[in-house]
């Protein structure tokens, strides 16, 4: 398992911090599921004029959580290279200042691609959005 401590906080992506997100955990659960987790209090910049988080902003956070989970599960100099496909579903609104959690999980890691999923939930567990993604991997030979 890769040490991702330097990726905590904004994950090296100032945009995530500006949107109000902070990655707080990377690693494997007791069952071996590799994940990345963030807390997210959407900033006003993430919202439309009504204070509702814009759907594309959900996608940014979901993409980052999946990508960080994949990178946490890779060893050596291997890394994710590019997102090939993402599907996002936004089911409920989030608002500026809400206490949200973001979690990305690796579903399958193959030689050239990785499959992942992620969710945004309220503190009470209510699902706001979810995504699945396929990522191209770069493997050092």
């Amino acid at each position: 398992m890769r040490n991702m401590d330097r990726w905590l906080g904004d994950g090296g992506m100032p945009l995530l911090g500006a949107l109000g997100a902070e990655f707080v955990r990377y690693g494997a659960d007791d069952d071996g599921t590799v994940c990345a987790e963030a807390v997210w209090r959407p900033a006003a910049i993430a919202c439309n004029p009504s204070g509702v988080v814009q759907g594309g902003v959900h996608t940014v956070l979901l993409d980052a959580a999946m990508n960080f989970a994949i990178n946490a599960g890779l060893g050596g100099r291997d890394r994710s290279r590019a997102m090939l496909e993402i599907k996002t579903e936004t089911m409920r609104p989030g608002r500026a200042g809400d206490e949200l959690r973001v979690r990305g999980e690796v579903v399958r890691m193959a030689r050239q691609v990785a499959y992942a999923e992620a969710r945004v939930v309220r503190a009470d567990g209510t699902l706001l959005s979810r995504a699945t993604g396929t990522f191209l991997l770069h493997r050092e030979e």
Side-chain angles (χ1 to χ4, degrees):
M1 189 74 47
R2 175 176 284 151
N3 180 331
M4 300 284 287
D5 287 350
R6 71 182 182 94
W7 292 48
L8 294 174
D10 66 10
M13 297 176 60
L15 172 64
L16 298 177
L19 294 172
E22 177 184 0
F23 278 83
V24 295
R25 180 177 174 271
Y26 301 92
D29 291 340
D30 291 339
D31 66 2
T33 302
V34 179
C35 66
E37 296 177 342
V39 293
W40 183 25
R41 283 188 185 268
I45 195 171
C47 301
N48 65 26
S50 299
V52 174
V53 178
Q54 198 273 341
V57 175
H58 281 261
T59 302
V60 169
L61 269 289
L62 293 162
D63 172 33
M66 290 186 289
N67 186 36
F68 293 166
I70 290 165
N71 279 299
L74 292 169
R77 297 176 53 91
D78 294 353
R79 64 189 181 280
S80 65
R81 185 176 200 153
M83 178 191 22
L84 299 172
E85 178 271 336
I86 190 168
K87 178 184 187 254
T88 304
E89 298 173 297
T90 305
M91 290 158 268
R92 291 181 180 85
R95 298 191 170 277
D98 283 355
E99 285 189 46
L100 306 176
R101 301 272 183 226
V102 184
R103 179 180 166 94
E105 296 181 355
V106 176
V107 174
R108 181 172 184 265
M109 194 91 70
R111 177 83 185 132
Q112 292 184 314
V113 297
Y115 304 89
E117 59 189 23
R119 303 164 79 83
V120 174
V121 299
R122 289 192 182 116
D124 68 3
T126 302
L127 179 64
L128 301 186
S129 63
R130 64 184 175 192
T132 58
T134 307
F135 295 77
L136 180 65
L137 301 179
H138 173 84
R139 302 278 193 168
E140 290 288 321
E141 298 297 326

